[in-house]
Amino acid sequence: MSTNERVDAIGRTTAISRILSLAVPAIVLVSALVAIIAAPNAYSLAALIAAAVTSGGFALFFPRIFAKREKPWFVPFRIFSGYYAALLYFEYALERVAFAAASKLNPVLATILFAGALVLVATAAADWLLISGTEFRDFIGVPREEKGKKKHGFWFQVFDTIHAFIQAALIVIVINIFVFQIFQVPSESMVSSFMINDRPLVLKFTNGPKVPISDIKLPSLRSPRRGDVVVFRNPRYPRTEQSEFKRFCSQLVYMVTFSLVNLDKYNADGETKADPLVKRVVGVPGEKIMMIDDKVYVKGKGEASFRQLTEDAERWSQVDVEALSAAALAKVRAVPITAEARIVLKKWDGKKAAETLDSLGTSLDKGWADFAAAASGSRGAAARAVFERSILPDFYPDHASTLKQRRIDLVTYGNKNIFQDVRIYGDELLYLYDAISNPEAMGELKSYVLGWKTAPVPADDPYAENTRKASLFFKRNLLSLFARDLELVAANTTVQKILLDPKRNELIGEKKELIEYLFPYYDMRNFPITPAARDEYITPNHYFVMGDNRYNSLDFRYASDYRPAPFDTTDPWSLYYLTNLDPKAIDGDNIEGIAVVRLWPFTRFGSISHAKQ
């Protein structure tokens, strides 16, 4: 290149850089002024301050670089210009959040803001490239051989180290957002695939990462598949522009402080946020899904019936943590179910399998006929006399007010009659007296025991049939217990001897097993057909996810809060209990990536297998 051509190149470069260094800060400052006028709040004020500071930075550098060509100012100016592109995006984010906080952000404005930010960021980046080029260095008079070779003082070295560190942090943040990220597993919901504090490598680019503080999502390379372990945003926390901005800033601070400071660790109530979550994809779009006694079943569109998802039972779900290898079990902090409890579950699973609804119905019909005949005859009269002479005065002196309050409580719990209240267990004698002395209560008991026959379970709903059987076991147990207590009380047996009666204690033992079987374990190993509507299936870009450790995973089988509800939703006279069961699929837009490799601890380093350990 000739000398004249070189001079021309230098002139063009400096002219363009001069224009850009004036125009971009001016545009940003005007934009911030418009934002604070249109949406006056803390965010727009912060945007204005940021724009003023960065514009002030250019005002400081401009005369020293373009007019006086002072060489000592070149390196700081080049570094400042490089950071300015990142600062521009931060200022855009503040303006977007400002408009959202003022309820003035709409799709058109969001698009304009984002497009403007992209143009300005690209322009600032181009300016930085010009400033970093040899023509601009020649314009300032900085010799090329000075680059990286000249020895500098202590404070310059400190500044250069900080600069290098911030550059590295920004690069890592970009990689974390768009390429991959290392997450820390916060709970034991994925035992044995992950233990607490395991660190999996999660691929982001395959799932189409979202550009921060925008509505832009990059194209997805592939959709999540059944068996994938995914990391996703917890949809239970509402997403607003303000919360997204806070999360974005938190990621920056978290990275710069070597994971020491997490600004987004707590929710509005001061509790540690369960976000993000790590779970396994079990149900995919186009399916219905349910779980019965630890077994997952799915049915796709066009399929006549549900089929068991055998790969879940064989490869993923961990329903018996105590069965893990000794090495794996040593890393588990909490075993969610003991071997003794598993024996109870297996026992009653077997009882359900051995019974049909018809056989249970026949048993309840006979049991009710025998009990009603005894209660209305001489045995009932004798029992009432014993109750009123000794049992009520000694053990239930306030029985009338107690029963009255229990009936008032029915309104809160939604029960139709007093025998649907799970609190009946422990006060069986009191409720027996109510039934044999009060015709209304006797009618309530009959409805509780036999009313389910008016509402048969749907023929194509295995979950409903399974739940109905479990519910009828409860009804039969209570009826049998009442019949035995009636017999004992009528024979003038003392309460002390009643409590020691072997046959009664056998029924009490059965009752305790049933309570353990149903509460809390039933909801941990069962959930109804999801989606519930006959013609509905998991919609596109939605996935049903669960933790492998099924008895210790607060996933999307559950809602956040407990509520009173009928145990058998198809029975108008069902037992009521507290539940938070509310299964639903999650939106795929919440999924941040797919875990592929376990990086830490080194003793468990390796690819994430789709099989149990």
Side-chain angles (χ1 to χ4, degrees), residues 175-235:
I175 291 173
N176 283 349
I177 292 172
F178 296 105
V179 185
F180 64 82
Q181 187 172 359
I182 299 171
F183 282 88
Q184 182 175 354
V185 176
S187 72
E188 293 189 328
S189 68
M190 286 297 292
V191 167
S192 61
S193 296
F194 295 114
M195 303 298 180
I196 288 180
N197 295 328
D198 278 5
R199 286 171 169 80
L201 177 71
V202 177
L203 295 184
K204 295 284 198 74
F205 65 90
T206 57
N207 200 57
K210 188 172 181 287
V211 178
I213 323 296
S214 77
D215 303 316
I216 308 300
K217 194 173 187 293
L218 301 184
S220 175
L221 299 183
R222 79 166 179 87
S223 299
R225 301 165 186 164
R226 195 192 319 276
D228 282 344
V229 175
V230 295
V231 173
F232 60 97
R233 301 280 301 277
N234 190 339

Side-chain angles (χ1 to χ4, degrees), residues 62-343:
F62 198 87
R64 290 168 174 80
I65 295 296
F66 291 99
K68 299 178 182 179
R69 304 187 189 186
E70 296 179 4
K71 285 189 279 188
W73 288 85
F74 170 71
V75 172
F77 178 60
R78 179 165 56 84
I79 294 173
F80 176 80
S81 299
Y83 285 127
Y84 187 54
L87 290 172
L88 281 174
Y89 197 83
F90 184 74
E91 290 167 6
Y92 144 78
L94 283 169
E95 290 182 20
R96 178 185 170 106
V97 176
F99 282 109
S103 302
K104 293 183 178 180
L105 186 67
N106 55 58
V108 174
L109 180 57
T111 302
I112 292 172
L113 287 173
F114 185 73
L118 285 185
V119 171
L120 290 174
V121 169
T123 303
D127 190 23
W128 176 78
L129 290 174
L130 290 174
I131 294 168
S132 301
T134 56
E135 289 85 357
F136 200 90
R137 295 176 68 88
D138 290 344
F139 168 73
I140 299 297
V142 178
R144 300 180 192 180
E145 61 269 15
E146 284 189 7
K147 187 176 181 180
K149 294 185 179 181
K150 184 178 179 180
K151 292 184 178 180
H152 298 283
F154 172 76
W155 291 110
F156 185 93
Q157 295 294 337
V158 170
F159 175 79
D160 194 52
T161 301
I162 294 173
H163 166 56
F165 171 71
I166 294 175
Q167 276 187 317
L170 290 175
I171 291 171
V172 170
I173 289 168
V174 171
I175 291 173
N176 283 349
I177 292 172
F178 296 105
V179 185
F180 64 82
Q181 187 172 359
I182 299 171
F183 282 88
Q184 182 175 354
V185 176
S187 72
E188 293 189 328
S189 68
M190 286 297 292
V191 167
S192 61
S193 296
F194 295 114
M195 303 298 180
I196 288 180
N197 295 328
D198 278 5
R199 286 171 169 80
L201 177 71
V202 177
L203 295 184
K204 295 284 198 74
F205 65 90
T206 57
N207 200 57
K210 188 172 181 287
V211 178
I213 323 296
S214 77
D215 303 316
I216 308 300
K217 194 173 187 293
L218 301 184
S220 175
L221 299 183
R222 79 166 179 87
S223 299
R225 301 165 186 164
R226 195 192 319 276
D228 282 344
V229 175
V230 295
V231 173
F232 60 97
R233 301 280 301 277
N234 190 339
R236 292 191 177 101
Y237 299 115
R239 252 192 246 188
T240 63
E241 295 293 336
Q242 294 93 317
S243 67
E244 291 298 281
F245 180 74
K246 179 181 178 181
R247 185 172 188 268
F248 178 60
C249 294
S250 175
Q251 288 178 316
L252 297 176
V253 175
Y254 189 74
M255 190 62 59
V256 170
T257 60
F258 297 102
S259 307
L260 295 176
V261 179
N262 184 355
L263 301 178
D264 200 30
K265 185 176 181 179
Y266 302 103
N267 62 17
D269 298 323
E271 300 170 340
T272 301
K273 292 175 69 172
D275 188 35
L277 299 174
V278 183
K279 308 294 177 187
R280 191 181 298 276
V281 174
V282 181
V284 296
E287 290 182 338
K288 287 181 178 291
I289 186 169
M290 67 176 176
M291 186 162 69
I292 298 176
D293 297 343
D294 296 323
K295 299 181 180 67
V296 175
Y297 298 84
V298 295
K299 183 176 78 169
K301 289 182 179 179
E303 295 181 347
S305 60
F306 281 88
R307 56 184 171 84
Q308 185 183 350
L309 196 63
T310 54
E311 56 262 51
D312 178 74
E314 295 171 357
R315 301 167 63 189
W316 309 326
S317 68
Q318 191 68 59
V319 297
D320 189 0
V321 172
E322 287 190 330
L324 291 172
S325 67
L329 189 58
K331 296 180 176 67
V332 176
R333 299 183 184 181
V335 176
I337 179 171
T338 63
E340 293 76 13
R342 290 217 61 82
I343 291 172

Side-chain angles (χ1 to χ4, degrees), residues 489-521:
V489 173
N492 200 24
T493 308
T494 65
V495 170
Q496 289 77 7
K497 289 184 177 181
I498 289 175
L499 297 179
L500 295 174
D501 177 67
K503 186 175 180 180
R504 185 181 192 275
N505 281 335
E506 182 180 343
L507 291 169
I508 292 293
E510 181 181 275
K511 174 201 74 175
K512 291 179 178 178
E513 288 184 352
L514 279 170
I515 289 176
E516 184 175 23
Y517 184 75
L518 298 182
F519 321 116
Y521 293 120

Side-chain angles (χ1 to χ4, degrees), residues 373-411:
S376 61
S378 58
R379 182 176 292 177
R384 284 191 294 274
V386 173
F387 267 115
E388 292 166 1
R389 182 175 62 250
S390 59
I391 296 178
L392 293 180
D394 291 344
F395 295 94
Y396 299 103
D398 299 323
H399 66 279
S401 60
T402 299
L403 290 169
K404 180 180 179 181
Q405 185 59 49
R406 294 283 174 88
R407 284 188 161 83
I408 292 173
D409 291 345
L410 297 180
V411 177

